[in-house]
Structures are given as C-alpha cells and as structure tokens.
Amino acid sequence: MPNFHCGHELPKSRVGANLSHIPQDSGKRCPDCQTKTATGILALLKSLQKSYESKSSLDPNVIQRLITYAFDRFVSQRKTTGFKQNFDEFLRTCGEVSLRLLGQKQLSDFILTAKGRWGSEIAKQALRSIGTAALKANGVYRPIEPADAEILTTLNRMITLCRERAASIEVFEQLEIILNSATILKSLQDEVIFALSHLEEGFTKWDSIGGK
C-alpha cells in the first residue's frame, strides 16, 4: 500500500487494493483527500487516463472501479458549491475518460452501478456523455466541411442525426448503437475525404497539362 503525506491509510480490503492503483497527485495525498474538491476529481480522472490509456496490464475491471469511485465522489457532492458549477465539465470529462479506458462490458457495468446508486436520470446523463465523447473522438460530431456540398449531404445528415440521438440516449443498448455508428461514420468520412482529394488532384493535373 502507498504511503500518503496526508497521514491517512487505505483500508486493508479489496476496496483499498483497488484504490492503491489511483495515481498519486503532487501532494501525495490519499484518494479521499484528492477528491475533496471538484477540480481534484477532474484532475484525478485526467490522471487516470494518462496513466492507463496505453493499454496497461491493469485489470480493466479495476479501472472501471476507479472511474466509478471518482464518479461517486463527484455525484455525491453535485449540489454543493464548487461541484454544481462544474457538473457539466465533470460529465464531459468522465465520458471521455470512460470511453478511452473501458471496454463495452465495463461501460455496461459502470452504467448499471451508476443507475443503482444514483438513479436513472444520472445514469442517462452518463450514457449521453459517453455517446457524445464517441462522436467527438471519431471526428464526426459536426458536419464535414463544406457542409453544403451535395456529395456530403447524406453523410452530414447522419452525423447530425447521431449527435441528436447521442444527446437523448436512455439505455445502454442505445449507446451501443451510437458507438457503432461513430465508427462507421469515421470510416465513411475518411473514404469520402480520400476520394475527394484524389478527384481534386486529378483536376489540378488536368489544368496543368491543358493546351499542351
């Protein structure tokens, strides 16, 4: 177990063993002291992402419990000064970190735990933050420019639809649809941009050889 400068110790239990994997901040404080403020919890989430994003050997179920710990710490204080004002940023950050660090099973378990502890409305907000994060991570949250190009009309319409649906997710199965749609839209976007660049290259060449 790590030694903390705040003088606190982790419980000698599975919970304590899990929390021992939380990255220490510059003050080498225990997890509870790190998460006494909204900014502390946001910093912890970002630290988790930095520490474990590179597919570490840490059990993904443990990572899910660490994110759940940070989630519980914030949500339990969400109506107090400092937390209330940062709730939207917290949801956004939590969605991004959860998307990057958790597999589909862990995401499902995370949402089930959130729903069981905090109710369906909080769980829905978490679902929507993950769905939005998926679209942004794949670069398909906003229409492709030029947005009024006829060749992009259908693709941009689907991007807009996915963004709207991500903001109204009710259950995990709908999140799965958004996650899959984000991947498909990313692939289509890459193919369209690649094709258009080659078309443009061809006509640039056409102009350069004209009149020969």
Side-chain angles (χ1 to χ4, degrees), residues 124-136 140-141 158-171 174-175 177-179 182:
K124 287 175 188 177
Q125 288 178 286
L127 283 166
R128 293 164 186 172
S129 70
I130 297 169
T132 297
L135 296 176
K136 289 182 177 179
V140 289
Y141 183 71
M158 292 306 300
I159 288 173
T160 299
L161 176 62
C162 280
R163 185 173 70 249
E164 292 171 351
R165 292 293 171 86
S168 61
I169 295 173
E170 300 276 329
V171 295
Q174 292 173 328
L175 173 62
I177 293 172
I178 293 297
L179 295 177

Side-chain angles (χ1 to χ4, degrees), residues 93-201:
T93 302
C94 191
E96 293 169 356
V97 174
S98 299
L99 177 71
R100 292 184 179 277
L101 297 187
L102 302 181
Q104 214 132 317
K105 180 184 181 302
Q106 286 75 37
L107 284 173
S108 177
D109 289 345
F110 168 61
I111 294 300
L112 281 173
T113 301
K115 184 176 181 180
R117 292 178 182 172
W118 305 108
S120 60
E121 285 307 312
I122 291 293
K124 287 175 188 177
Q125 288 178 286
L127 283 166
R128 293 164 186 172
S129 70
I130 297 169
T132 297
L135 296 176
K136 289 182 177 179
N138 283 280
V140 289
Y141 183 71
R142 304 220 177 265
I144 306 167
E145 295 294 338
D148 58 351
E150 186 174 350
I151 195 172
L152 299 174
T153 299
T154 301
L155 184 54
N156 278 336
R157 185 167 66 247
M158 292 306 300
I159 288 173
T160 299
L161 176 62
C162 280
R163 185 173 70 249
E164 292 171 351
R165 292 293 171 86
S168 61
I169 295 173
E170 300 276 329
V171 295
F172 185 77
E173 289 76 11
Q174 292 173 328
L175 173 62
E176 291 181 305
I177 293 172
I178 293 297
L179 295 177
N180 185 52
S181 298
T183 302
I184 293 172
L185 288 172
K186 167 67 173 172
S187 178
L188 288 172
Q189 176 182 252
D190 290 345
E191 289 177 10
V192 168
I193 291 175
F194 178 79
L196 288 175
S197 68
H198 273 265
L199 285 170
E200 185 175 349
E201 181 183 330

Side-chain angles (χ1 to χ4, degrees), residues 22-24 34 42-52:
I22 284 182
Q24 290 189 14
Q34 284 192 55
L42 289 169
L44 174 58
L45 283 171
K46 293 171 184 177
S47 182
L48 284 173
Q49 180 175 326
K50 183 178 179 180
S51 297
Y52 297 120

